[in-house]
Amino acid sequence: MKEQIHIDIAPDGSLKIEAKGFSGNGCLQATAALEQALGSVTTRERKPEYFTGQRRVRVQQARSRRGSS
């Protein structure tokens, strides 16, 4: 899936930023400037893709530690 950022603006002026196609904390890095420019974050929901990327990093780190012993 191509990486995309969707911004929804509700009639009351509240915003929802949704990052699609990112894994790990790539979504946080991609939306950081928007969040800073648009105001404070009231809630943050992490999708399964966020945690999938984190698991891969941990597994790779654990394997590299075992290999260096």
Side-chain angles (χ1 to χ4, degrees):
M1 171 187 264
K2 184 177 177 182
E3 294 172 342
Q4 300 176 349
I5 297 174
H6 293 258
I7 302 173
D8 294 322
I9 305 171
D12 66 359
S14 63
L15 301 170
K16 177 182 177 183
I17 301 173
E18 183 177 2
K20 296 182 177 185
F22 294 88
S23 64
N25 67 355
C27 56
L28 297 174
Q29 294 171 352
T31 59
L34 289 169
E35 292 173 0
Q36 185 177 11
L38 296 173
S40 62
V41 175
T42 56
T43 60
R44 185 181 310 274
E45 296 177 23
R46 291 181 171 88
K47 297 179 181 180
E49 294 87 350
Y50 175 86
F51 299 102
T52 300
Q54 296 298 314
R55 279 191 215 116
R56 286 187 190 137
V57 170
R58 288 186 192 132
V59 169
Q60 290 173 349
Q61 288 174 345
R63 285 183 186 155
S64 65
R65 281 189 218 135
R66 279 188 237 141
S68 63
S69 302

